[in-house]
Structures are given as structure tokens and as C-alpha cells.
Amino acid sequence: MQLTGTLSLQRIGMALALVLLAALVVVPLFFIFLSSVQGSQGLDLAAPLRTVAGSGLGEVYVNSLWIGLCTVAGTTLLALPLAWVMANTGLSRHRWLDIVLLVPFMTPPYIGSMGWILFMQRNGYMEQLLPAAAAWTPHFFSVFGMVAIMSLHLFPFLYLILRGSLVRIGGSKEEAAALHGGSFAYRFRRIVVPLLLSSYAMGALLIFVKTIAEFGTPATFGRKIGFYVLTSEIHKYISSWPIDFGKATSLASVLLGTCLLLWYVQAWVTQRHSYQLVGGKGARRSIYRLSGWKAAIAWAYVGGLLVLSIGVPYFSIIAASLMKLRGQGLAWSNLTLSNYVQLLAPGSKSMQALTNSLTLSLAAATLAVVLGTFLALMIHRAKTWPQRLTDLFSMLPNTVPGIVIVLGLIIVWNAPWMPIPLYNTYGMVVLTYVVFFLPYTVQYVKASFTQLDPALFQAGQVFGGKPSYVLRRILLPLIVPGMLAGWMMTFTISIRELVASLLILPPSMETSATYIFAQFEQGKVQLGMAMAVVSVGLTTAMLLAVNYLSSKKDWDV
Amino acid sequence: MYQVNKRNGLKKGALVLLTAMIGFSLAGCGSAAKPAANQAAEPKQEAPKQEVKKDEEKKLSGKLVVYSAGPKELAEAIQKGYEAKTGVKVEMFQGTTGKILSRMEAEKANPVVDVVVLASLPAAQGLKKSGMTLEYKEAKNADKLIPEWSDKDGHFFGYSSSALGIAYNTKLVQTPPKEWADLAKEEWKGKINIPDPAQSGSALDFVTGYLSGKGDSGWDLLEQYKKNGVAMAGANQEALDPVITGAKSVVAAAVDYMTYQAKAKGEPVDLLYPASGTVISPRPAAIVKTSKNVDNAKAFIDYLLSDEAQKMVADTYLLPGRKDVKAKDRPGAEQIPQMKVDWAWMDANGDAVTKKFAQLFK
């Protein structure tokens, strides 16, 4: 009796999940597809293919894939050693590093790229500090530089996934192997790699997708070096005259197809290499003690990473925000705080933009966590195909370039038949952010959820726990870290969200990101950079607070 | 828990069908709800409008949605001035000409914009041609406008304008290039930016204007530019910025008012107009035909052409649209050498030129 009750509840939940996702994600994308095949003379299913087969686009496609692959390699190179060090050595005590490492990820890509450009360009800060650098700084303006910028922006993302996974692998399995005579290399190869593979596949896929769906860096840095990718082409067709939605949506469907294929590969890898790592038994951590020089190397690595991912861009950002005249360059006499005074003046446009950003992000993050957790629980282990469908749909926003989703949402919510007047309101922005960042919560919660041993719930049931009790006392406490991570992620990225905001904000409403963008467009780079400093500073402070509160409750697995 | 799930695989399949059905019925509800909603909404909106017209002729109220190309301070100053004068609340979206046009395209099904302020004349001609603008012949002060910058039928008004020149960094450049052809010289190799005509309305006006005068041979110069490493660099400010910081030395086809603004601030930049002539790019404003606030929109156009707003235009170092308002601290329209251009050709060929330009400078 009780079992059927649970079942029908689950069915309703499943149906609700699918309906919600259909309305929020699938229908808008379907309309995009529809507009890409709707030629002037009725339906033309081959239109997207013909567009992409058209001249020059093949190269752009290869460029996208290439930059994606290189960035996956780059982030792996940066994140894997760091994750290992932070999971297994004495450095793991320094949890502040986790927060600091979120800073590069919270830095909007277009601002980070701008920082690098200001630093490396001719007569830039690097040459002003060290004139001899002029011999090699031009080499930075190449695909290598672009990959470096993107990797330094995205590696914390992979790092967090890998470290979480390494921590869950725990020391006991490695110890068992060591006891049986396994060397470090053997243990790494036979224990760590296989157990890490599913998390890595997921992380690498997300990095790849984020890279080929990114538009900030290609739009700033890529254009400077003449390197064009799918997103910059799509953006061009959408945002500059003459507009060609058909072409943009055709390119987007190619991008979507690629991402779906990769997603399929990733799901296959995950399915074959997924293990329950969190059991009912308490896990014990064993920590490597690093001897003097090893510790020095580890610290040097961490330090170097911090200098490159935070030091350089933020030197540029802060220096630019403090300048009186940009043409004067670095000089003590050229420094001023007046940009901040202007920025933070009460009632100014900039303060309104900042408040807008904060409230929008709070609303979006909270909604996204509620919805995302619900979806993740519905997806469960993605065994049945409604579950897999839910999984697929909830991941779609991460596999489609943001700009395409935004257009889909505009087409749907601004359609004449739409009865809900959400378009051109505050709510539309929140909705867009939620759709955009839903995959984060789903991913994080799913990651903590799939590694829970079903025995935990069975134990709860055996001892007479009702489903609600099991949910409250066993499930929720164990997935709260995932929810929290999802909330923080959504909050920090939606506060810097640019693409959607540019297209969907009601007229006369600004967020900090669109404000910054507008300042760049208006040539007030100083004000834009000052805003960047303030908004990133605010989010970092908030993260620190959340981290402090959560560490008190000892939620970390 | 999931053993149970496995056994119920079939039922789950049925569940999806059910979901799909719900989806369809929801969609059905949506379309069914439409006429009802419209009927309910329309009379409500129209009733007060008629009352206003009958009772008080001139009193304005409500709101106005404006999509405006920069410069930002000017747009904001005009917004403030108009709001103070009429009591109408302005909702403003700011972006480049390209962004505004694309936003209008995205909102085609359900337009909200009342007035567009663009930075390119052919763009406005295009809007007029596709029947998206509203005629407003009675605009106050329209007779004082420079006639070539506006539509003679009153569909759009060139309330201001900018000219394209050669901007350069005064710290890096002692003897600036004097002519468009000079920029193809070896000494400027890799040191020049050109704005992207796909993003900047005025840059497009320059390129199409130049080509309309020179014919196909005009492409020779652009090809030489490309060979000389001229970099296409986003909209106008993005092209000018690296020159201010010294990363590049020169902007070809720089929008003059931006350079003058930076110069007034003390940045090391200056600008000159080649003696062989350049293009003056008018910045037109138009009322959108689908406007739901026509009276407010007309008042906005009147305000744009008023003494007050024209002075604001001059203060931003733009060329005022009215013959009787003087430019401020910069050469006036009559002092700028102009080349012969064909606006009709520019309107007709804008798309093709943009495409070819993008291919060339990629």
C-alpha cells in the first residue's frame, strides 16, 4: 500500500518535471529550430545543413572544436595536480584556497580577457613594468593566449569536481593497495584513475561545452587575433546588422548536435565507471605529509596558479579602475579614487545596476536550487528513459550557447499567443537565469546523490522511516552540500551574466554586467573596471560568509 | 527503490505519453486563451485614450519606450529633459545600431518600442522602406533641420550627426597621416584599427559612402588596408580605446565626437579630416509604426529638435541637426570636406558591403 503511494507520487513528480522542462527549455529550443527551417517558401528541413555547408563555416567549426579540446587539456593540466594536492596533502587544511580559486571563475570572461589584453598589448602594463617584455608579449596574441585565458578562467570548475571526487575516493582504498605493495604510480593508475574517470568525464565535457559556447573571450580576445568560432559567428548574425536568425539558429543546431553527441559519450563513460563511494561507514582521510622541498613545490605551484589566474587579470582590472587618464599609463600621479566615488554615489545608475544584479541573482539562485534539486532527485540514476529524458533536458541549457536559449525564450515569451505577460519584466530575467543555470544545481545534486549507497535508504525504510522521514533525515542532509554548491554557483554566475541580460532586460533596467559592457562601449573603461571590482568583491564576500556558516555546521562530506 | 522502477518501465512509457498529452492540451489552452485575452485587454486600453483626446488636448501621461544608440550621457540627458517637460516616463534601451535593429527583429511579434534613435541613415531608410516607421510631418522645428539628413516625408529626423576622420595617438604619432591613402603606407603597418561596419552604423556609412563615390575601385584601398595589417576592431569605442592606451596608433574612419570627448578629458588623442573628403553620418530618430504611445512619441521627436536638446547634442561634440545651432569646440558641418556620396546606393548595398568587408578583414 505504502509502496504504491510512493510510486504514484513519483509518477506525478516525473510528469511535472518533464512538463516544466518542456515549457522552460525544450519548447524555446524547438521554436529556434522551427525558425531555422522556416524559409521564405515554407518549411525547408535542409536549410540548416546548407547554411553550415556554406563557405567558410567549416573552418569556424573546426576552430570551435580545436579551442574546446585545447582548453580541456589546459584546464586538466592546471586542475588535476591542484586537486590531488588539495585532496591528499597538508594543503587541504587551507580551505580558504577553495574560495580564492572561485575568483577566476567569478570573473566575467570578457573582463578577464580585457585584463589580459590590457596587460599584454603593445604599450600595455607588462611593457610599462618591464620594457624588455616587448620582445615576447606579441606572441601572447595567438591561439595559445586564448587557450591560456580560457583555461585560467575555467580550471577552478574542473578542480572542484575532481577534488570532491578525490576526497570521496578517500585514503582507505589507496591504503589497502599500498599494504599489498602497490607503488604510487600503480595506485594512481589502477585506483585513482578509474574511480575518477566518471567525474572527470563530466567535468571535461562541461569545460568543453562551456568553451565552445563561450562568447566573451572570442568576442574580445579572439577578434583581436582573427580567430573566429561558432559563437562569435552566431552572435554576429544575431546582434549586428544585417540580422539573420536563420543562419544563427542553423549554426546553433550544429553546435547543439556536437554537444549532444559528446554528452552521449560522457553518459556512456559515466555509466561504465560509476561507483558508490559514500557508504554508511565513516570515511577516514589519510594525508600525505610533504617534506620540505615537496611542500615548497606544491606551494609554488599553487602560488603560480594564483598569480596567473587572479594576479595578472586583477592587476589590470584594478589598475584600470584607478586611472585618471588611460593614455598616461601606470604612474602614481595618474591614480585616483574618483571612479569609485562616482560609481558608488547613492541613487546613481551604477548603484541601481548593482542592486538589480544582487536581487535578480538571489531570486534566480534560490529558484534554481529548488527546481534543480527536484529535477536531480527525479533523474535519480537515469535508469528509465523518462529519467534520462529529464536528465537530457535539464542539461540542455549547458549544451546550447546562452544566446540561442535567450532567443528561444524571447520568441516564446513574446509570442502573440503567450497568455502570461512575463516578457519585458523582472520575472523574465529571473526565468532566463534559472533556465541558464539549472544544470549546475542538477549536476551538483546529482553528483552527491548518485554516490549515495541505496543501502542508506533501505536501512531507513527497514527501521520504519516513512518516505518523508527518509527524505528529511537521510537524503537532504547528504545532498545539502550539492545544493549549496549549486546555489553559490548560480548566484555567482548570474551576477555576472551578460549575454541574456543584454537581450532580455526590460528597457531602462541595467545589471552590473550590462553596466560594465555599456561603459566599455562608451569608452569609460575605468568605471567599468571599478564596477567589476565591486561586484566581484561583493560576491566573494558573500561566498566567504556562506562558507563560514556552512563550515560551522560541518556539511562538507 | 529502483528495482520497483525497473518493473514499471512500461508504465513510465505511458507516463511520458501522458506528459506529451498534457503538453498539447496546454498548448491548446494557450491558443484558445488568446482571442479572449485580447478582447478583454483591448477595450480597456482604448477607452482611456479616447477620453484623453476629447477632454484635454495636450496633456501627456503614461510612458514611452525608446531604443537609443549612444552616446549614453546624451541619451540620458535627453531622457531626463523630456521626462521633466512632459511628465511621461521613458523606458530606455541603449545599444549600437545593430543591437537595436536586432532587438526590434526579435520583438517583431510583439513590439514594445515607440521611438528608435539610430546612428546610421541607411538603417532608418531601411526601416522606412519596410513600412516600420510612422510619418510625422508636423514635427516642430523640422523645417530648421539640415534637409539631407532627414526624410522629406517626415518618417525620420536627423537630429544630429558625426563625421568620420583619422584619429591618432599624439604621444606616438608626430606626423599624422593626412589622407585615406596614407594609411596603406608601410610605416603604419599593424598600427591601425578600423571599426566594424557590421556593428557601427557610422562606420558602415563611411565604407558604403566611400564605395558609392569610387565604384568598385574603392575596394582597392580597403584591400591595401588589409595588406597593411589594419585590424577590424568592434564598434567605434572599441576601435578608439587601443589608440588611447597606445596599443595602436591610428583609427581609420574614427567617429569624430568620441575622439573630441577623449581629447577634452585630456587623453593623448586628436583627429583630422582628409582634404579629399569624408562622410558625415547623420543620426536619425523615428517613430515606430506599431507605437502604442504615439502622442508621447511625437512629443519626443519635438523635444529632440528643440533648442534645449540641440544644445545637449552640441555639448557632446556631435554636430547638431538644426542649421541654426552651432557646433561646440569642433569644426561645423560646413568646415568638414565631404566626398560625394549616394545615399540611395548606400541603402541598397549596405548588406552586401558589410558581408564583403567582413570577409576581407576576417
Side-chain angles (χ1 to χ4, degrees):
Chain A
M1 202 53 221
Q2 197 204 0
L3 204 61
T4 52
T6 319
L7 252 184
S8 63
L9 206 70
Q10 245 192 343
R11 271 204 221 172
I12 293 168
M14 200 74 231
L16 186 67
L18 280 167
V19 168
L20 269 172
L21 281 172
L24 289 179
V25 183
V26 183
V27 170
L29 289 177
F30 175 72
F31 272 89
I32 285 284
F33 175 72
L34 204 65
S35 76
S36 81
V37 295
Q38 231 162 19
S40 43
Q41 297 99 8
L43 282 185
D44 180 7
L45 283 174
L49 291 173
R50 236 178 291 125
T51 309
V52 175
S55 60
L57 292 175
E59 188 201 333
V60 167
Y61 183 52
V62 172
N63 279 354
S64 268
L65 295 183
W66 179 238
I67 203 87
L69 281 176
C70 289
T71 306
V72 168
T75 48
T76 308
L77 219 63
L78 297 174
L80 189 59
L82 186 69
W84 191 87
V85 165
M86 288 300 289
N88 292 319
T89 73
L91 265 65
S92 61
R93 282 196 311 274
H94 302 278
R95 298 308 297 272
W96 55 268
L97 271 172
D98 280 2
I99 299 298
V100 172
L101 281 169
L102 278 174
V103 171
F105 191 63
M106 283 184 307
T107 314
Y110 65 98
I111 292 176
S113 312
M114 193 78 166
W116 275 101
I117 293 169
L118 291 178
F119 199 76
M120 291 301 211
Q121 70 188 4
R122 183 164 75 110
N123 292 322
Y125 300 143
M126 184 80 204
E127 287 180 22
Q128 290 176 33
L129 293 169
L130 194 75
W136 55 268
T137 44
H139 296 294
F140 186 76
F141 290 89
S142 60
V143 178
F144 165 78
M146 193 157 154
V147 171
I149 292 174
M150 290 180 119
S151 302
L152 285 166
H153 168 62
L154 286 172
F155 84 93
F157 190 74
L158 189 62
Y159 156 74
L160 283 180
I161 291 177
L162 289 180
R163 200 209 58 180
S165 198
L166 280 169
V167 164
R168 277 193 294 272
I169 288 172
S172 56
K173 294 169 189 71
E174 273 201 76
E175 269 173 19
L179 213 62
H180 290 280
S183 67
F184 176 78
Y186 182 84
R187 296 196 311 264
F188 190 76
R189 190 159 51 84
R190 296 305 296 265
I191 296 174
V192 178
V193 169
L195 288 177
L196 206 55
L197 203 58
S198 81
S199 301
Y200 178 73
M202 189 188 284
L205 174 85
L206 286 176
I207 298 275
F208 186 89
V209 167
K210 285 191 82 59
T211 309
I212 64 175
E214 172 60 52
F215 127 89
T217 309
T220 45
F221 193 87
R223 202 164 52 198
K224 267 204 156 46
I225 62 171
F227 191 83
Y228 297 91
V229 295
L230 282 175
T231 44
S232 50
E233 289 299 285
I234 293 172
H235 187 255
K236 193 186 85 188
Y237 287 127
I238 287 172
S239 71
S240 52
W241 195 251
I243 285 129
D244 194 335
F245 282 172
K247 256 192 192 130
T249 48
S250 304
L251 282 171
S253 38
V254 172
L255 199 51
L256 176 61
T258 311
C259 296
L260 288 184
L261 188 74
L262 282 161
W263 179 85
Y264 186 77
V265 173
Q266 181 267 339
W268 182 76
V269 172
T270 309
Q271 244 176 4
R272 293 195 48 171
H273 298 276
S274 209
Y275 309 93
Q276 265 99 49
L277 293 168
V278 179
K281 303 176 229 35
R284 192 170 49 83
R285 305 279 313 124
S286 70
I287 296 293
Y288 287 91
R289 290 193 164 217
L290 296 180
S291 57
W293 64 271
K294 276 186 186 160
I297 289 179
W299 275 113
Y301 183 78
V302 174
L305 216 49
L306 292 182
V307 166
L308 287 180
S309 63
I310 302 174
V312 170
Y314 276 91
F315 176 82
S316 297
I317 292 168
I318 293 170
S321 75
L322 291 172
M323 287 214 172
K324 274 185 211 146
L325 288 176
R326 304 184 55 226
Q328 297 297 336
L330 295 174
W332 291 113
S333 61
N334 195 26
L335 294 185
T336 175
L337 279 173
S338 65
N339 299 316
Y340 286 90
V341 174
Q342 200 184 331
L343 184 86
L344 298 174
S348 61
K349 292 253 172 198
S350 41
M351 279 308 279
Q352 281 169 22
L354 204 58
T355 329
N356 280 340
S357 269
L358 284 173
T359 45
L360 283 172
S361 306
L362 275 173
T366 311
L367 258 170
V369 160
V370 173
L371 193 57
T373 307
F374 166 68
L375 291 174
L377 294 183
M378 281 299 137
I379 293 164
H380 200 219
R381 277 174 221 286
K383 294 283 186 204
T384 68
W385 73 265
Q387 286 175 337
R388 275 191 218 175
L389 211 60
T390 310
D391 198 12
L392 174 79
F393 288 169
S394 67
M395 279 303 292
L396 269 183
N398 230 347
T399 53
V400 191
I403 192 137
V404 176
I405 299 181
V406 175
L407 268 172
L409 289 171
I410 291 176
I411 293 174
V412 168
W413 290 94
N414 196 29
W417 48 260
M418 172 55 69
I420 309 164
L422 201 60
Y423 185 74
N424 255 332
T425 66
Y426 212 74
M428 185 72 201
V429 190
V430 174
L431 177 96
T432 311
Y433 286 178
V434 168
V435 173
F436 259 41
F437 304 123
L438 201 56
Y440 289 103
T441 322
V442 174
Q443 278 304 321
Y444 282 117
V445 175
K446 225 170 62 181
S448 19
F449 188 44
T450 45
Q451 289 188 322
L452 300 181
D453 195 326
L456 289 172
F457 306 113
Q458 283 155 13
Q461 273 176 331
V462 164
F463 288 105
K466 288 200 180 91
S468 62
Y469 184 84
V470 173
L471 180 85
R472 192 157 47 84
R473 297 305 297 263
I474 302 178
L475 182 61
L476 272 183
L478 285 172
I479 58 169
V480 154
M483 291 171 67
L484 204 65
W487 190 90
M488 292 202 328
M489 214 38 129
T490 310
F491 180 78
T492 49
I493 339 180
S494 49
I495 220 166
R496 67 162 171 70
E497 207 297 317
L498 178 69
V499 183
S501 313
L502 278 177
L503 287 172
I504 224 156
L505 279 176
S508 81
M509 183 176 171
E510 273 187 315
T511 65
S512 58
T514 58
Y515 178 85
I516 293 168
F517 200 76
Q519 297 314 307
F520 286 174
E521 274 186 350
Q522 302 292 325
K524 297 196 170 144
V525 176
Q526 295 104 311
L527 269 184
M529 288 304 198
M531 178 61 110
V533 171
V534 169
S535 56
V536 174
L538 263 178
T539 39
T540 312
M542 256 186 103
L543 286 186
L544 284 173
V546 170
N547 189 59
Y548 175 72
L549 289 174
S550 69
S551 68
K552 266 180 140 178
K553 296 210 169 159
D554 199 23
W555 275 336
D556 289 300
V557 175
Chain B
M1 233 155 86
Y2 80 69
Q3 266 188 346
V4 176
N5 282 348
K6 257 187 193 168
R7 260 188 267 137
N8 282 284
L10 264 176
K11 285 185 186 169
K12 295 265 158 156
L15 193 69
V16 172
L17 270 178
L18 190 80
T19 309
M21 277 163 63
I22 294 173
F24 280 122
S25 57
L26 275 180
C29 285
S31 50
K34 170 198 159 192
N38 280 358
Q39 277 166 8
E42 268 166 22
K44 256 188 217 162
Q45 272 180 354
E46 263 169 39
K49 225 186 202 174
Q50 284 171 344
E51 269 171 41
V52 168
K53 268 191 185 161
K54 268 183 205 161
D55 298 347
E56 315 155 56
E57 276 292 310
K58 279 289 146 192
K59 201 100 193 211
L60 297 171
S61 65
K63 64 166 191 172
L64 181 74
V65 182
V66 181
Y67 291 179
S68 171
K72 197 180 181 188
E73 312 92 85
L74 176 61
E76 276 169 6
I78 287 174
Q79 173 184 3
K80 247 185 220 154
Y82 170 79
E83 282 179 341
K85 198 152 201 176
T86 59
V88 172
K89 174 101 186 72
V90 175
E91 289 177 7
M92 184 166 321
F93 167 78
Q94 284 177 330
T96 59
T97 303
K99 279 192 195 123
I100 289 169
L101 293 176
S102 65
R103 194 173 172 120
M104 288 172 73
E105 177 81 21
E107 293 171 352
K108 226 179 194 168
N110 202 6
V112 291
V113 61
D114 299 310
V115 174
V116 283
V117 183
L118 302 170
S120 167
L121 189 67
Q125 289 171 326
L127 287 183
K128 182 195 171 192
K129 222 166 48 183
S130 47
M132 290 172 77
T133 51
L134 189 78
E135 185 190 286
Y136 179 41
K137 271 190 173 158
E138 317 78 51
K140 275 180 215 151
N141 293 320
D143 52 327
K144 292 177 187 150
L145 287 170
I146 297 175
E148 301 90 68
W149 296 359
S150 300
D151 181 44
K152 59 180 188 321
D153 304 327
H155 279 266
F156 54 83
F157 305 88
Y159 77 100
S160 75
S161 131
S162 65
L164 289 307
I166 297 175
Y168 56 94
N169 184 308
T170 51
K171 271 164 58 177
L172 298 173
V173 179
Q174 266 67 47
T175 46
K178 293 266 181 291
E179 267 307 327
W180 299 118
D182 291 349
L183 299 177
K185 286 182 182 160
E186 177 68 25
E187 59 181 306
W188 302 110
K189 199 171 177 78
K191 293 179 178 170
I192 302 175
N193 268 349
I194 190 164
D196 183 354
Q199 297 189 44
S200 156
S202 32
L204 178 61
D205 285 1
F206 173 76
V207 177
T208 51
Y210 183 83
L211 290 170
S212 78
K214 301 264 171 188
D216 262 356
S217 67
W219 283 105
D220 294 348
L221 179 76
L222 295 173
E223 272 157 28
Q224 285 167 22
Y225 278 9
K226 174 62 188 172
K227 275 197 202 110
N228 210 24
V230 172
M232 186 169 75
N236 302 307
Q237 194 69 49
E238 280 172 88
L240 181 64
D241 253 6
V243 172
I244 291 174
T245 57
K248 295 274 177 182
S249 301
V250 174
V251 186
V255 174
D256 56 1
Y257 76 89
M258 282 184 188
T259 317
Y260 290 132
Q261 277 178 353
K263 185 183 168 188
K265 255 191 270 172
E267 300 283 13
V269 285
D270 209 344
L271 180 127
L272 59 84
Y273 303 103
S276 65
T278 186
V279 176
I280 291 186
S281 167
R283 308 167 74 85
I287 303 174
V288 181
K289 200 165 208 165
T290 47
S291 167
K292 296 184 188 77
N293 306 294
V294 175
D295 292 341
N296 294 349
K298 286 181 172 171
F300 190 83
I301 297 289
D302 289 345
Y303 184 72
L304 269 182
L305 307 184
S306 70
D307 296 0
E308 195 176 315
Q310 286 292 307
K311 189 180 169 303
M312 294 175 188
V313 168
D315 286 343
T316 2
Y317 300 95
L318 278 162
L319 294 164
R322 268 169 48 182
K323 287 174 276 188
D324 56 338
V325 182
K326 281 266 158 300
K328 183 189 159 196
D329 296 339
R330 57 156 294 164
E334 65 291 343
Q335 290 159 277
I336 299 169
Q338 291 184 53
M339 53 173 94
K340 225 176 91 60
V341 297
D342 178 351
W343 289 102
W345 187 93
M346 290 158 73
D347 175 30
N349 292 281
D351 292 2
V353 168
T354 311
K355 239 177 239 165
K356 195 167 170 186
F357 189 93
Q359 244 149 30
L360 180 62
F361 276 89
K362 220 169 182 176

